[in-house]
Amino acid sequence: MIKIAICEDEKDQQELLKEHIYQIFKELSIKYKLEIFNSGEALLENYSNDTDVILLDIQMGQINGMDTARKIRTLDNKVEIIFITSLIEYALDGYEVRAYRYLIKPVKYENLKENIRNCIKEIDIKNKYIIVKEQGNQIKLDINEITYVEVQKETITIHTLNDTYKINGTMTNIEKKIDCSRFFRCHKSFLVNLEHVKSIKQYVLVLENSEEVPVSRYRFKETKDKFFDLIEAKLC
């Protein structure tokens, strides 16, 4: 079940989006729940943290879509935000609130469908966990919090945003368990979550926390391509 919120003050645009969403989810054979709000104030007053996707008009009454998104981000770090706008110059502002998708009014069906499909892929990734065993304890790890994995002999070290975990096993097995396109084997001994990479330099990935992960010489070009593919996907 995908939960969607439309926040749009124009009735005709509400109806257009509502009809598009009905057709999209019918075609995808996915159940959904839809809520419609006429203003940013109404969305914030009734916001539910299990919302998956918000279609958010930028140009609204007292509180515009960008300000609404800023407040949403203080409540919810994971919801996917798609801005609806008549003015594309607002697009760059969206990076502050991690809204990477923009649709121009009147919203075309195929454009919305592509964005919804991409959001569903992101939601699947955000909800993915793996179970690892450390010193006899079963630990549930959110794969989005894993920054990188390294192997030394038969010891796997999983680095996360807040901790590290040491388990026995092979890199091949942990790579299969994670099974996510955001992770890339940049070195025979390192598997990195490209979502946490800030920059790439010669044979090194620099993470957002300033840690550095080595890239092997023969995997450097492919690693760089994967990193920029991820950035480009967010710009679309």
Side-chain angles (χ1 to χ4, degrees), residues 61-77:
Q62 292 184 354
I63 176 171
N64 65 32
M66 196 62 66
D67 289 335
T68 301
R70 290 187 183 102
K71 292 186 178 181
I72 289 292
R73 278 291 174 236
T74 68
L75 303 170
D76 189 335
N77 194 42

Side-chain angles (χ1 to χ4, degrees), residues 54-65:
I54 303 173
L55 302 179
L56 184 56
D57 184 20
I58 290 184
Q59 295 152 285
M60 292 187 292
Q62 292 184 354
I63 176 171
N64 65 32

Side-chain angles (χ1 to χ4, degrees), residues 8-145:
E8 166 65 68
D9 61 358
E10 297 178 30
K11 192 69 177 177
D12 60 334
Q13 295 297 322
Q14 286 182 9
E15 291 301 318
L16 178 64
L17 292 170
K18 183 179 176 181
E19 179 60 27
H20 282 350
I21 287 170
Y22 171 77
Q23 293 295 337
I24 289 166
F25 280 87
K26 182 179 179 181
E27 193 174 326
L28 295 176
S29 297
I30 296 174
K31 292 183 179 180
Y32 74 97
K33 180 180 179 182
L34 178 63
E35 291 183 302
I36 298 178
F37 301 95
N38 296 314
S39 67
E41 292 92 336
L43 174 61
L44 291 166
E45 286 171 11
N46 298 279
Y47 189 72
S48 173
N49 267 42
D50 62 351
T51 304
D52 294 303
V53 182
I54 303 173
L55 302 179
L56 184 56
D57 184 20
I58 290 184
Q59 295 152 285
M60 292 187 292
Q62 292 184 354
I63 176 171
N64 65 32
M66 196 62 66
D67 289 335
T68 301
R70 290 187 183 102
K71 292 186 178 181
I72 289 292
R73 278 291 174 236
T74 68
L75 303 170
D76 189 335
N77 194 42
K78 291 188 175 183
V79 66
E80 294 289 323
I81 298 174
I82 301 175
F83 278 129
I84 311 294
T85 182
S86 302
L87 301 170
I88 195 61
E89 60 259 32
Y90 282 107
L92 290 176
D93 295 335
Y95 290 95
E96 177 190 344
V97 292
R98 279 172 285 120
Y100 305 116
R101 299 177 175 88
Y102 284 79
L103 295 174
I104 302 298
K105 293 182 180 181
V107 174
K108 295 180 180 179
Y109 176 80
E110 289 299 329
N111 291 343
L112 180 58
K113 181 181 174 182
E114 181 182 359
N115 278 268
I116 291 291
R117 287 174 69 110
N118 288 336
C119 284
I120 291 171
K121 290 178 184 177
E122 293 290 328
I123 292 161
D124 287 342
I125 292 172
K126 287 175 182 176
N127 292 331
K128 189 168 184 179
Y129 296 84
I130 61 170
I131 304 295
V132 298
K133 184 181 286 188
E134 183 185 50
Q135 297 178 349
N137 297 317
Q138 298 272 3
I139 302 169
K140 181 180 178 182
L141 295 180
D142 182 341
I143 68 165
N144 298 285
E145 295 188 359

Side-chain angles (χ1 to χ4, degrees), residues 147-148 182-184 186 190-194 197 205 207 213:
T147 55
Y148 69 100
R182 295 287 173 82
F183 285 77
F184 185 69
C186 60
F190 289 86
L191 177 69
V192 67
N193 185 349
L194 295 172
V197 174
L205 289 167
L207 305 186
V213 175

